[in-house]
Structure formats: C-alpha cells, structure tokens
Amino acid sequence: MQFYTTKIISQKQIADYIFHLKVAKNDEKVAPGQFYMLKAWHNALPLMRPISVYNVEADTLHFLYKVVGQGTELLSTLKKGASIELLGPLGNGFPCHEVSGKVALVGGGIGIPPLFDTAKQLAKNGCKVDVFLGYKEELFAFEPFEDVCEKIFIAVEKGDEGYNGFITDIFHAQNYNAVFTCGPEIMMMKVKELCDVQQVPVWLSMESRMACGVGACLVCTCKTKEGMKRCCKDGPVFSGTLL
C-alpha cells in the first residue's frame, strides 16, 4: 500500500453515469478484487472515494465507476494530464490461487468491473471461467470478458438484450467448482444461497460506505459469524462460510 500522486492517462464516459478512468501505475503489485482510495480535489470534503480496480496493465491502472455523489461527480470532470491522488492497493482481493477447475463469476451493476481483472488471473492460472453479468437496463463493459472467459451470460431487468430478468435466475451453482460474486448485496446473498444448497464454495465482495479505507474509522463494518468485520481491511472479499 502506498499513497502517491499520479497522472490521468484518459477518461471517457461509456454508459449513463459510468466512466472509464485510466491512470499511470506505480510499481505496487495489485491483486484482483482490490481497490484504491481516489482524490483529486484540495478541500477536506468530500473524502477520498473507494474505487475497485477494473484492469491492471504494466504501467496503467483502469477504474470503472458510477457517478453517485459529490466525490464521483468531481472525479468525472477530470481530464487527461490532471493530477490524482491514490491510496492503495487496499483490501484482500479474490483468492484466485485457492480455486481450480471451473469457476463462475457473478456480477451485478457496478460490481461487474472488479470481476474482469479477476477473470484474467483465473484464466492465467488455468481455470475455465464463465461470467454472469446482471444489468438494470444499459449494458457496459461486457466485451472484454470475451477474451478471457469460456461463456458470458447476460441478464437485463429492463431491456431486450440477453435474459430478461435477474442474473441469479440463470446461474446454476452445481456446474462449478467455485464461485466469486460482486454486486448488490441482495444478488450476492441469492448466489450464496444457491451455492450453499449445492455445497459449492463461494466468496463475496461486500460493499459498504468507506471513509478511510484502512480500517481505522470502523465505518464500513459488516456482520459475520465471527463478529463484526471491516470491509476495507478484513475484506472486501469474504468466504461464504463467514456470512
């Protein structure tokens, strides 16, 4: 983990309220499913915003984020060459080296981006990867998965592309040796339920409002079978056996 200032390589809007931000990377190793705290304004407020890593290249970090408040609104105005402060990488990430065989990734909404770098690592490790992507309406960021996944399944709640409904309607846990999921909690808990029935190990990337990103403020705690845990420090990825 490092705190450093870097430069924006590019930024573009790819869907309604969804932006793809590229910044110059330092030499820190980044694990799939980790995140950074980002800030590019001088005022104390808003606080740094936690953004999951979408893709990692030799000299570039990619982030996909949704504009939902003041901090992400400010991020969306940044142009090529602007300075930006990063703290990270943070969190534990997905345990890609602990799984083998056929692995399913199940993502919903803005929980989809961190699954791409995860899919890359799993494929590199020799796993066969299927990805299940759930959207409210507008599709985004599904094309890159075509290069690293065996199959892509898409569900849209409001729209004509893919399956019309919830992504959990077409996910069958019994077909997989392990499952990673990231997205709305209600979706992830349904994925966990389906995995538990089939006794398939599952890991969930839990979202929570974060203030510091390093476990000091205790804002992002979540309830587990071992007591309260900090999403930013103890997670964000938790084994389904803990939840």
Side-chain angles (χ1 to χ4, degrees), residues 17-61:
Y17 303 104
I18 305 294
F19 286 78
H20 183 183
L21 173 67
K22 299 180 187 180
V23 306
K25 180 183 176 297
N26 67 358
D27 58 359
E28 284 279 294
K29 186 176 180 180
V30 184
Q34 288 190 299
F35 68 96
Y36 281 78
M37 302 295 288
L38 276 62
K39 185 176 182 179
W41 46 89
H42 298 297
N43 297 332
L45 295 175
L47 299 173
M48 300 185 82
R49 304 315 305 144
I51 308 291
S52 295
V53 176
Y54 168 51
N55 190 18
V56 181
E57 295 177 318
D59 301 313
T60 308
L61 283 174

Side-chain angles (χ1 to χ4, degrees), residues 2-21:
Q2 290 185 9
F3 178 81
Y4 66 101
T5 300
T6 188
K7 295 290 185 181
I8 292 177
I9 296 172
S10 68
Q11 176 158 236
K12 65 178 180 178
Q13 186 171 357
I14 63 169
D16 285 346
Y17 303 104
I18 305 294
F19 286 78
H20 183 183
L21 173 67

Side-chain angles (χ1 to χ4, degrees), residues 4-235:
Y4 66 101
T5 300
T6 188
K7 295 290 185 181
I8 292 177
I9 296 172
S10 68
Q11 176 158 236
K12 65 178 180 178
Q13 186 171 357
I14 63 169
D16 285 346
Y17 303 104
I18 305 294
F19 286 78
H20 183 183
L21 173 67
K22 299 180 187 180
V23 306
K25 180 183 176 297
N26 67 358
D27 58 359
E28 284 279 294
K29 186 176 180 180
V30 184
Q34 288 190 299
F35 68 96
Y36 281 78
M37 302 295 288
L38 276 62
K39 185 176 182 179
W41 46 89
H42 298 297
N43 297 332
L45 295 175
L47 299 173
M48 300 185 82
R49 304 315 305 144
I51 308 291
S52 295
V53 176
Y54 168 51
N55 190 18
V56 181
E57 295 177 318
D59 301 313
T60 308
L61 283 174
H62 298 244
F63 300 96
L64 284 191
Y65 66 93
K66 183 177 182 179
V67 175
V68 294
Q70 185 182 9
T72 47
E73 175 68 33
L74 288 170
L75 284 177
S76 71
T77 66
L78 300 176
K79 306 297 183 184
K80 178 180 178 180
S83 294
I84 185 168
E85 295 176 342
L86 270 64
L87 174 64
L90 302 169
N92 56 357
F94 286 105
C96 293
H97 294 284
E98 296 181 21
V99 301
S100 60
K102 197 169 183 181
V103 181
L105 306 179
V106 186
I110 204 61
I112 289 170
L115 295 181
F116 176 62
D117 196 52
T118 305
K120 283 174 52 182
Q121 184 62 58
L122 289 169
K124 184 179 178 180
N125 293 353
C127 296
K128 294 185 180 298
V129 185
D130 289 348
V131 64
F132 294 77
L133 307 176
Y135 300 86
K136 279 286 186 182
E137 188 168 1
E138 185 179 10
L139 272 60
F140 62 89
F142 68 91
E143 300 95 338
F145 286 97
E146 296 174 354
D147 294 330
V148 292
C149 294
E150 300 278 319
K151 295 180 181 178
I152 300 176
F153 300 89
I154 291 176
V156 183
E157 294 178 38
K158 300 177 182 179
D160 300 324
E161 300 189 65
Y163 171 79
N164 184 228
F166 299 113
I167 195 64
T168 49
D169 296 340
I170 58 174
F171 166 67
H172 303 291
Q174 65 269 24
N175 296 332
Y176 299 97
N177 301 109
V179 177
F180 295 162
T181 183
C182 183
E185 185 171 339
I186 190 171
M187 179 208 77
M188 292 195 294
M189 289 303 157
K190 180 61 177 180
V191 171
K192 174 182 163 7
E193 176 186 327
L194 294 170
C195 290
D196 287 348
V197 169
Q198 300 297 330
Q199 297 184 320
V200 176
V202 57
W203 285 263
L204 301 79
S205 182
M206 301 299 292
E207 286 192 4
S208 182
R209 294 185 65 87
M210 296 181 186
C212 72
V214 296
C217 68
L218 304 181
V219 168
C220 64
T221 54
C222 65
K223 184 180 292 187
T224 76
K225 293 177 182 177
E226 296 179 350
M228 301 301 289
K229 299 285 188 179
R230 301 161 296 179
C231 285
C232 67
K233 186 71 173 180
D234 303 312

